[in-house]
Amino acid sequence: MNVLPASRRAAYPPPTGPRVAIVHEWLEHYAGSERVLEQLVLMYPDAAVFAIVDFMPPDQRAFLGGRPVETTFIQELPFARRYFRYYLGLMPVAVEQLDLSGFDLVISSNHAVAKGVITGPDQVHVCYVHSPMRYAWDMQAAYLRHGGMERGIKGLYARWLLHRMRNWDVRSAAGVDVFVANSTYIARRIRKVYRREAEVVYPPVDIDRFHEKDQPSRAAYVVISRMVPYKRIDLVVEAFRRMPQHVLHVAGEGPERERIEAVAKGAPNIIFRGRVSDAEVLSMMQDARAFVFAAEEDFGIAMVEAQACGTPLIVFGRGGACDIVRDGDDPEGPTGVFFEVQEADAIIAAVERFEAMRTRITAAACRANARRFSCDAFRRSMFAVVEQAMRDACPRHLGVAR
């Protein structure tokens, strides 16, 4: 059975092997999860693509290669183009209505509900997890606080909805045959939330777009980030305010900018660059003495991009950073240093440690480290995981990944 409308079937040539469906969360802008979708589409050029909604602008959808995207009823709901996230409570129902019965392999790219698609006993479901729903699990309190929903009727409704989402999230995990996490940190979250083990396949990073400069200045430390609370740029600025001998360039915009500039108290060694172009981001990373990162991220693509420029890292030693940075006495050569607590004093100590060992961190080691996270590495690892999943499920499915 072909689940696509007759008018669209011509877009998918008759398959020579098992049929593949890719289920993406939603298409709005080309961002981190869309990088994964782009690589999955390259891996399986005949795959059908499904999503909750598709509002991707025409100038950002070239990576889809002109293929149609099958969406759910939420696409047609009032004001969905701008406010589809407000339909979160309907998304479990919507994703369960996708008819995937004509496919042998289903790959979902999940950070909310995509893994909830319904599959049968002769289908293999591999779920790539960017993160379990953080706002429904360990980040619920911060989510409610940030949204001003700690009290009142709105808060009561939000807590009830998130409780229902947690119940559904755990139940729908039973339909996944193989979980794939984008970092060991997310693998631990999957184990905690779903009580399931996960393979780790790092997300694809276009490291060829970031490269070494022939003669980088390596004069100033650099922060490039959206200015939101969890990024903790305020701590980095406070640390460098107390280290006037070191120059810090801060690039990015966001609701925290005014508060962060106040933390700097006009320190002449801290330079705020505001919003910068892609070319300026590349130049800043190439010339940086070190790239400073104080957030706890699920992975942290910006850290890999800095390493691809041959630039060392000074980062908070939690989350995805632990998979990226080679610290201390690593036999392949250190590529940065960690600080263990989100405090200005810890950042100051990390900078001092970095300065003491700076000559041991080479641009070549940083660049070699970044290659572990290339697009080619992602595709090879995902192919291996999918082939093993198909082999474990049924020998007739062998060869799907080639």
Side-chain angles (χ1 to χ4, degrees):
M1 173 183 175
N2 194 317
V3 303
L4 298 178
S7 62
R8 295 189 177 182
R9 288 175 192 165
Y12 300 99
T16 57
R19 286 186 57 93
V20 181
I22 301 171
V23 183
H24 190 65
E25 212 75 73
W26 49 70
L27 287 162
E28 184 183 23
H29 300 294
Y30 183 84
S33 64
E34 283 70 37
R35 298 186 193 199
V36 170
L37 176 60
E38 180 177 21
Q39 296 304 313
L40 293 175
V41 166
L42 289 173
M43 290 166 60
Y44 306 106
D46 295 329
V49 177
F50 298 80
I52 297 292
V53 296
D54 177 11
F55 297 120
M56 180 72 76
D59 62 345
Q60 296 184 33
R61 59 188 307 119
F63 73 96
L64 291 169
R67 71 183 59 238
V69 177
E70 296 300 306
T71 58
T72 70
F73 66 82
I74 292 179
Q75 180 86 15
E76 307 301 328
L77 292 180
F79 311 109
R81 176 175 291 274
R82 186 171 181 181
Y83 298 113
F84 67 86
R85 289 177 178 81
Y86 284 74
Y87 291 117
L88 177 65
L90 293 176
M91 288 184 184
V93 176
V95 79
E96 289 175 348
Q97 304 314 303
L98 293 173
D99 182 1
L100 305 181
S101 58
F103 299 93
D104 300 296
L105 170 65
V106 175
I107 303 176
S108 59
S109 174
N110 182 87
H111 59 76
V113 300
K115 78 174 192 330
V117 292
I118 295 175
T119 55
D122 292 327
Q123 295 174 293
V124 176
H125 181 182
V126 177
C127 178
Y128 188 88
V129 181
H130 305 276
S131 176
M133 290 186 284
R134 298 190 68 141
Y135 44 85
W137 292 98
D138 52 311
M139 293 296 292
Q140 176 183 278
Y143 167 75
L144 294 174
R145 184 167 57 251
H146 182 70
M149 294 183 291
E150 292 179 282
R151 298 179 179 82
I153 297 298
K154 285 176 61 178
L156 182 63
Y157 170 74
R159 293 173 192 277
W160 172 82
L161 175 61
L162 294 176
H163 172 74
R164 288 180 59 88
M165 293 299 292
R166 281 192 294 274
N167 289 341
W168 176 86
D169 197 29
V170 172
R171 183 206 62 76
S172 62
V176 175
D177 295 294
V178 175
F179 275 107
V180 183
N182 69 354
S183 66
T184 54
Y185 173 63
I186 293 302
R188 293 199 304 274
R189 296 191 74 234
I190 289 170
R191 188 182 306 119
K192 182 75 171 182
V193 172
Y194 305 137
R195 299 299 180 185
R196 296 280 298 277
E197 297 301 316
E199 303 284 343
V200 175
V201 174
Y202 299 125
V205 182
D206 186 7
I207 62 171
D208 293 331
R209 191 164 65 90
F210 294 83
H211 51 84
E212 280 183 72
K213 197 174 185 179
D214 286 340
Q215 293 183 317
S217 63
R218 303 297 184 199
Y221 291 87
V222 165
V223 171
I224 303 173
S225 173
R226 178 163 163 75
M227 294 190 179
V228 292
Y230 88 94
K231 295 289 189 178
R232 300 316 311 266
I233 302 170
D234 57 326
L235 296 179
V236 181
V237 168
E238 167 64 19
F240 278 84
R241 186 183 65 79
R242 292 159 53 187
M243 293 186 291
Q245 71 275 28
H246 297 302
V247 176
L248 175 70
H249 287 242
V250 183
E253 288 286 356
E256 287 275 286
R257 177 167 179 174
E258 185 176 342
R259 188 180 74 83
I260 292 169
E261 289 185 341
V263 172
K265 297 179 180 177
N269 64 313
I270 301 175
I271 302 166
F272 288 89
R273 303 279 295 270
R275 190 183 305 276
V276 294
S277 67
D278 289 346
E280 289 173 304
V281 168
L282 174 60
S283 179
M284 289 178 69
M285 284 187 170
Q286 288 174 326
D287 282 327
R289 194 174 187 87
F291 185 81
V292 187
F293 197 87
E296 180 177 337
E297 291 278 16
D298 299 332
F299 180 68
I301 287 175
M303 288 183 276
V304 176
E305 292 171 342
Q307 295 269 269
C309 294
T311 298
L313 299 172
I314 300 175
V315 300
F316 180 47
R318 295 288 186 276
C322 296
D323 287 351
I324 296 171
V325 181
R326 299 190 188 278
D327 192 12
D329 298 322
D330 192 286
E332 297 188 42
T335 66
V337 299
F338 291 118
F339 53 93
E340 296 302 324
V341 292
Q342 287 177 310
E343 295 177 356
D345 286 341
I347 295 173
I348 291 170
V351 170
E352 291 173 349
R353 192 162 65 254
F354 167 74
E355 288 291 337
M357 64 179 291
R358 180 169 169 256
T359 57
R360 294 174 49 211
I361 302 177
T362 66
C366 294
R367 177 74 182 169
N369 184 43
R371 283 195 284 271
R372 297 189 293 134
F373 310 100
S374 69
C375 295
D376 285 343
F378 171 84
R379 291 195 298 269
R380 286 195 303 271
S381 297
M382 278 299 292
F383 272 139
V385 170
V386 170
E387 282 191 331
Q388 187 61 53
M390 299 295 277
R391 186 179 296 113
D392 291 344
C394 180
R396 75 180 177 85
H397 289 321
L398 286 178
V400 68
R402 292 284 186 264

